[in-house]
Structure formats: structure tokens, C-alpha cells
Amino acid sequence: MERENQTGTGNFILLGFTDDPDLQSLLFGLLLSGYLVTVTGNLLIILAVISDSHLHTPMYFFLSNLSLADIGFTSTTIPKALRNIHSHNKGITFAGCISQVYFFVLFGCQENLLLTVMAYDRFVAICHPLHYVVIMSPWLCLLMALGSWMVSVLGSQLDTLTILRLSFCTKIEIPHFFCDLPEILKLACSDTLINNIVVFSMIIVLGVFPLTGILFSYSQIFSSILRISSDRGKYKAFSTCGSHLLVVSLFYGTSLGVYLSSVATQSSTKKLMASVMYTMVTPMMNPFIYSLRNRDIKVALGRVLTKMVPLSERVDTRLS
């Protein structure tokens, strides 16, 4: 096959889910509805945190950043998949594919680091409650949030820049609905040793280390909770970290599911379904988990929706 130079002027082909027209219509409806729910739910979380002064705390500050990362994470892949299904055009330019890789790694790493920071916040709140205000100062929270964004940007740039040195064959077919980095490396015509080293290093630094930090934080949290004498105190302590623990379990459960499915099976359909869980279902579920298990969030969301309803009524009155 003809080789493409490093600038990658040719197009990639995203094979997507299926060529069956009936299934494509069903998939389009499911993806669109899921995407709208994801964006709407996470936007409401952000608006609730911003509008309610009672939520101006470290935990909710990091939660709003997590919702922003969820919106970006889903928006990186789903809109392009919807466009390809609607237009029956599976092509994506080299620049578009590189952009998908960049933002997918960026928001994926950001979500991973934010979950780690939130685990540390819960660790301080439960294990060192008397020093919580001093330790989790506004400046430290801002530095941790900015640091997670900066590290994610640097990591995504490193992954993306190493792709630019590769050569690809023309009309490359990617067995996925988005430009997944491992799939791209498999299709390169040039040596990918450096890329694989970079990817492996990124997994260790931005995957294994944060997960280790989360596990350590929760081991200390559970140890502290077990030392509480009263059942009511134990329940209150568990409730403060229950939502975050559910999100962590869902995030790592689905991501590990994608990895294990890719190792255990060669079925493209199973890999695609696992990736949908990872890229859309997890970000969609996060707002529900926090809003259903958190009274403060429910109250704040109620106030936001109450303000939005009269505003929409005033707009309708003016238009009529």
C-alpha cells in the first residue's frame, strides 16, 4: 500500500458500529439522547455549584471541574460519531483524528487526576477533620485543580506529538467509532517503539500512580471509619465519600473492562460496546450519582431549575 508522509494528508476511515441502516438509526437515537443527557446533567451540576454559596467548598469545586472534564470527554468522540452515522460518511481527516486523540487523552487524564484529588479531599475531611480548613485552603485547591489540568495537557501533547513522527498507509481503516490511540499505533507503517514507550510511561504516571493514591486514601478512610464507635458516626462518614467511591468504581470498572475485553476477545462489537460504557455511560451517570446521593446538590439543582422555569416563561411571553 502507498505510504503517507508524516503530515498525514490522507483520510482515516472510522468503521464505527455497523452498516445496517436500521441499527444505525437506533444507534443514532441512543447516542444522541445519551449525549444530551450527559451534557445537560453535568452543566446543571456546574451551574448548581456556581450559583449556590453553600457549595463553594473544595469537594464541590473539584466536582464542578469533574463535570467539565466529563463534558469535554464525551464531546470529543460522540458528536463525530453522530455526524458519521447521519451523513453515512465514515471519513475523518488526519488533523481531525489527531485532535480526537489529543482531547481524548487530555480529558481522560484530567478525570483520572481529579478523582485522585477528590479522594485526597475525602481523606483529609475524614481522617483529619480538625485541620481540614487549614489543609484544604482555597489556594491549595486552586493549585491542585490547575496542576491536574496542566499535567493532562502536557501528557496529551506528548502522546500527540509522537504520532506526528509516524508514517501511515493511505485509506487507513480504524475498527472503532473514534480515533483510539492503540488502534492508530497498530496501523502505522513505521516503527512505533518510541510511541509504545511513551504510552506505557503515561499509563504508569497518569494511571497507576493516581489509582494507587486513591486506594491508599480509601484504605486510610476505612481504617478511620472502623475506629468510630457509634453506628451513626460511621454512617455519616461513609455518606460523605459514598458518591465519590461510586464514581471511582464506575470509572475504573468500565476502563478496566475496556482493557480486559480488548485482551480477552478480538470481537470488534464487544470492544465498541465496552468503549461506549467508558466514553459515554460513565460521564452520563456521574451527575445522577452525585445528585441522588447528595442533599446539598439536590437543593441547589432545585433552585437552578426554579430560576430557569420563570426565565423560559418570560421568554415565551415576549415571543408571543
Side-chain angles (χ1 to χ4, degrees), residues 3-4 16 44 86 102 125 140 161 163 168 178 190 228 236 258 287:
R3 293 168 65 89
E4 197 66 52
L44 287 175
H86 179 70
Y102 176 84
L140 178 62
L161 290 175
I163 297 178
F168 295 93
F178 68 93
S190 54
I228 299 175
K236 184 177 180 181
V258 172

Side-chain angles (χ1 to χ4, degrees), residues 61-92:
F61 170 70
F62 295 131
L63 176 58
S64 62
N65 277 268
L66 181 66
S67 293
L68 181 61
D70 282 336
I71 293 174
F73 192 53
T74 306
S75 299
T76 300
T77 57
I78 302 302
K80 178 59 179 175
L82 289 171
R83 181 180 179 182
N84 285 0
I85 294 174
H86 179 70
S87 63
H88 303 288
N89 180 9
K90 299 182 178 181
I92 182 172

Side-chain angles (χ1 to χ4, degrees), residues 111-247:
E111 181 155 352
N112 195 13
L113 294 175
L114 282 173
L115 289 175
T116 307
V117 170
M118 293 171 73
Y120 175 73
D121 173 72
R122 294 299 85 204
F123 161 73
V124 176
I126 294 175
C127 299
H128 304 282
L130 299 179
H131 301 91
Y132 179 77
V133 177
V134 177
I135 296 175
M136 299 302 295
S137 63
W139 278 110
L140 178 62
C141 294
L142 183 61
L143 286 175
M144 287 194 293
L146 289 176
S148 63
W149 281 105
M150 291 178 63
V151 171
S152 299
V153 168
L154 291 175
S156 60
Q157 285 182 340
L158 188 60
D159 272 335
T160 305
L161 290 175
T162 54
I163 297 178
L164 298 178
R165 56 176 289 277
L166 299 177
S167 298
F168 295 93
C169 303
T170 57
K171 296 183 179 179
I172 302 177
E173 294 183 346
I174 302 176
H176 221 304
F177 65 93
F178 68 93
C179 292
D180 191 26
L181 180 57
E183 296 294 337
I184 294 176
L185 296 182
K186 291 178 184 178
L187 299 174
C189 295
S190 54
D191 183 42
T192 60
L193 176 62
I194 295 178
N195 299 78
N196 291 327
I197 293 175
V198 169
V199 171
F200 181 77
S201 301
M202 291 288 295
I203 291 174
I204 297 297
V205 175
L206 298 178
V208 176
F209 285 171
L211 178 58
T212 303
I214 292 174
L215 294 177
F216 174 77
S217 296
Y218 273 102
S219 67
Q220 297 299 307
I221 289 173
F222 291 146
S223 177
S224 297
I225 292 176
L226 292 176
R227 289 197 296 267
I228 299 175
S229 58
S230 66
D231 293 336
R232 183 176 180 181
K234 290 181 180 179
Y235 175 79
K236 184 177 180 181
F238 271 119
S239 64
T240 59
C241 59
S243 298
H244 179 257
L245 188 58
L246 277 176
V247 172

Side-chain angles (χ1 to χ4, degrees), residues 225-291:
I225 292 176
L226 292 176
R227 289 197 296 267
I228 299 175
S229 58
S230 66
D231 293 336
R232 183 176 180 181
K234 290 181 180 179
Y235 175 79
K236 184 177 180 181
F238 271 119
S239 64
T240 59
C241 59
S243 298
H244 179 257
L245 188 58
L246 277 176
V247 172
V248 169
S249 301
L250 187 61
F251 178 78
Y252 282 101
T254 53
S255 59
L256 288 176
V258 172
Y259 172 76
L260 293 176
S261 67
S262 63
V263 173
T265 180
Q266 296 298 320
S267 172
S268 299
T269 303
K270 291 182 179 179
K271 291 179 182 179
L272 289 174
M273 293 301 104
S275 297
V276 170
M277 289 289 298
Y278 179 65
T279 57
M280 190 178 75
V281 175
T282 300
M284 182 176 64
M285 291 301 297
N286 287 353
F288 291 101
I289 292 173
Y290 279 106
S291 61

